[in-house]
Amino acid sequence: MAGKPKLYYFDGRGKMESVRWLLAAAGVEFEEEFLETREQYEKLLQDGSLLFQQVPMVEMDGMKMVQTRAILNYIAAKYNLYGKDLKERALIDMYVGGTDDLMGFILMFPFLSAEDKEKQRAFIVQKATSRYFPVYEKVLKDHGHDFLVGNNFSWADVHLLEAILMVEDKKSDVLSGFPQLQAFKARISSIPTIKKFLEPGSQRKPVPDDKYVETVRKVLRMYYDVKVN
């Protein structure tokens, strides 16, 4: 019997959090090795485990997978969360791609200065409410189904719920003008595997704090300050 997938990353959200979400949604137990020192990271480099010299890295099914999208594609396909045909897969890819764009505005938020954080918070909320959430609100309203694609639970649903909660961390009432998304959030959150992942004590990571930022900077030797445009 194959062992549990093993995730190599920091003890925080970052790019690995979507992998945690998808594995949890599929009901797959996984292990984690947290990078806390530069030496750990350099050992992975020396072992040839990091194809492009970067994390996330997931050890699964005899492979050492890097590149977040490749990892997510594999998990979604393996656990039947990637649609029933090419057309559904294309829709899932489009919705996940859009959600990724929104998440990208949030990913580097912890590394900003206090002043830039306030600017970026307003920018994130503006983009979510004017560009991204209206798309999913319309999709759900137009087809009248419980899920985004093919009326079946898919990676697209998992990714959107993760993004909604990320934006709500920045503005708690951000869904006030989106009744379809409010219902969607409640629906997807009640799926047993998702509900379990959202409970205290799960492997879901909290909002990144100063300790997480300090660890990432130390391990990756990230000496520069992140700026917003």
Side-chain angles (χ1 to χ4, degrees), residues 72-82 89:
L72 291 166
N73 285 347
Y74 182 83
I75 294 168
K78 179 179 174 73
Y79 295 105
N80 300 314
L81 294 169
Y82 211 175
R89 183 166 294 195

Side-chain angles (χ1 to χ4, degrees), residues 154-168:
S154 76
W155 174 21
D157 303 305
V158 180
H159 217 50
L160 178 56
L161 177 60
E162 181 188 1
I164 287 171
L165 297 180
M166 288 171 73
V167 180
E168 284 187 334

Side-chain angles (χ1 to χ4, degrees), residues 95 128 130-140 148 178 181:
Y95 296 151
S130 68
R131 183 173 184 178
Y132 295 100
F133 288 173
V135 171
Y136 303 114
E137 181 79 4
K138 186 176 188 302
V139 168
L140 291 165
L148 286 172
F178 301 96
L181 286 180

Side-chain angles (χ1 to χ4, degrees), residues 25-38:
V28 178
E29 294 183 356
F30 57 89
E31 300 174 347
E32 300 190 74
E33 181 171 317
F34 299 127
L35 301 181
E36 297 174 342
T37 67
R38 179 70 184 183

Side-chain angles (χ1 to χ4, degrees), residues 113-150:
S113 68
E115 180 182 353
D116 282 343
K117 279 182 179 178
E118 290 311 304
K119 294 177 183 176
Q120 189 70 355
R121 188 189 310 276
F123 178 81
I124 289 165
V125 171
Q126 188 271 328
K127 285 294 184 183
T129 55
S130 68
R131 183 173 184 178
Y132 295 100
F133 288 173
V135 171
Y136 303 114
E137 181 79 4
K138 186 176 188 302
V139 168
L140 291 165
K141 184 176 181 180
D142 286 353
H143 66 38
H145 296 157
D146 287 345
F147 306 106
L148 286 172
V149 179

